[in-house]
Amino acid sequence: MTMMKTARIHEYGDSSVIRSDAVPRPRPAHGEVLVRVAATSFNPTEAALRAGLLQAFLPLVLPYTLGWDVAGTVVEIGAGVEGFAVGDRVIGRLDGGGAAAEYVRTPADVLVAAPTSVPLATAAALPVAGLTAWQAVFEHGKVAAGQRVLVNGAGGGVGGFVTQLAKHAGAEVIATAGPRSTTAVLGQGADHVIDYTAGPVGAALDGPVDTLLNLVPLSPSDAAALVPLVRRGGRIISIATPIEPAADTGVSAMHMVARNDAAQLAALVELVDAAALGIDISASRPLEDLANVHRLSESGQIRGKVVLIP
């Protein structure tokens, strides 16, 4: 029996519950492929999952192998799979996790060809964060040329993609970011960066925006303070704390949860290969360091995307 290493949790708790386990290498079932993992990437939501904060709508069967993003190479193909061959380089979002391992079996229909213009491990940062950004900007935010867009939390992993996609759509992009992220956010296309550590965002904003894309958790008072920054008839899209403007503000709002969409992921890959979308990797670490990455994220010390190499 061939064994492989994984990063799993056997119980909910702090980052110390993440264990390096050796388990049998899986075989693909009908409709699945087996992927040799080049990298997975860390998403802050996985820290909440690990802590048990998402049990109400994402209950886990323990032990659970972490890792929602995968980039790797197809090494075995199950029955009923078409369109893939052994040796194909692929990426995908795995809603059931499992990519924090040397190998993962996954439904073939969530995978797309990896970008050819970046290292395969780098591409692991794209699926979850990229799909979230695409849906926030285009599906729900309906960002278009000539609009003014405020990206609140542009320095995070999703924020970098949101900033780039909003700029790609032709919007004027105003981004909030801390001092350590300012240079990166400007490089991603933001027209203006507001240092949220220096005072209220509204005080530094020159006029209302058409769309607010909120990517960070907010206190009730901070959420309320953002509503007046959006013009009447504008919209707020939040992937974190729900924001609920009063009816008399004329501002619509929604709290979104991103979904898996292979067609959209393929479109993101095309943008990467056309040099219209960059992937900002702040660090590359061995998979054995995953617990430390969780700790760093929960203490606010992670910028951008971190990839983990088995």
Side-chain angles (χ1 to χ4, degrees), residues 1-160:
M1 182 180 295
T2 303
M3 305 297 284
M4 68 174 188
K5 65 181 177 181
T6 66
R8 302 198 297 178
I9 61 172
H10 293 251
E11 60 184 327
Y12 295 112
D14 63 22
S15 59
S16 67
V17 302
I18 299 174
R19 289 169 36 179
S20 181
D21 290 340
V23 303
R25 193 173 92 177
R27 298 290 305 274
H30 188 277
E32 295 181 335
V33 298
L34 182 68
V35 174
R36 183 174 68 242
V37 178
T40 186
S41 83
F42 171 74
N43 295 286
T45 307
E46 289 188 73
L49 185 80
R50 180 217 73 226
L53 303 178
L54 306 181
Q55 291 183 66
F57 59 96
L58 281 177
L60 304 181
V61 176
L62 299 173
Y64 176 82
T65 303
L66 297 163
W68 290 338
D69 286 310
V70 68
T73 304
V74 175
V75 294
E76 192 174 347
I77 298 175
V81 173
E82 297 180 354
F84 290 98
V86 170
D88 284 351
R89 291 155 50 99
V90 295
I91 64 170
R93 167 179 150 168
L94 309 186
D95 290 338
E102 291 182 283
Y103 294 85
V104 63
R105 72 177 199 181
T106 176
D109 60 8
V110 304
L111 300 175
V112 302
T116 59
S117 58
V118 299
L120 184 56
T122 296
L126 185 61
V128 170
L131 285 170
T132 302
W134 180 284
Q135 291 163 26
V137 171
F138 296 124
E139 279 193 6
H140 305 302
K142 303 188 187 305
V143 173
Q147 293 182 348
R148 298 188 81 218
V149 175
L150 176 61
V151 181
N152 191 42
V158 175

Side-chain angles (χ1 to χ4, degrees), residues 154-156 159-160 163 175-178 181-193 303:
T163 298
T176 72
S181 301
T182 297
T183 299
V185 171
L186 286 170
Q188 289 162 345
D191 296 286
H192 315 282
V193 176
R303 184 198 68 77

Side-chain angles (χ1 to χ4, degrees), residues 172-306:
E172 176 188 359
V173 180
I174 304 105
T176 72
R180 68 176 178 174
S181 301
T182 297
T183 299
V185 171
L186 286 170
Q188 289 162 345
D191 296 286
H192 315 282
V193 176
I194 296 173
D195 180 0
Y196 69 87
T197 70
V201 172
L205 186 65
D206 181 20
V209 299
D210 300 291
T211 304
L212 165 64
L213 300 170
N214 177 62
L215 313 176
V216 296
L218 298 167
S219 68
S221 60
D222 287 341
L226 290 176
V227 175
L229 308 184
V230 183
R231 67 165 177 81
R232 190 171 189 84
R235 57 173 55 90
I236 296 172
I237 309 299
S238 181
I239 70 167
T241 306
I243 301 175
E244 300 178 358
D248 60 4
T249 63
V251 174
S252 64
M254 74 165 292
H255 176 244
M256 64 159 279
V257 176
R259 71 180 193 284
N260 212 342
D261 191 307
Q264 290 178 354
L265 184 55
L268 286 161
V269 169
E270 289 184 8
L271 289 177
V272 172
D273 281 339
L277 183 68
I279 303 176
D280 179 22
I281 301 298
S282 62
S284 177
R285 298 176 181 268
L287 184 60
E288 291 84 355
D289 203 29
L290 181 57
N292 188 46
V293 171
H294 276 237
R295 283 192 291 271
L296 291 171
S297 174
E298 290 172 308
S299 60
Q301 299 181 63
I302 294 288
R303 184 198 68 77
K305 293 291 292 181
V306 175

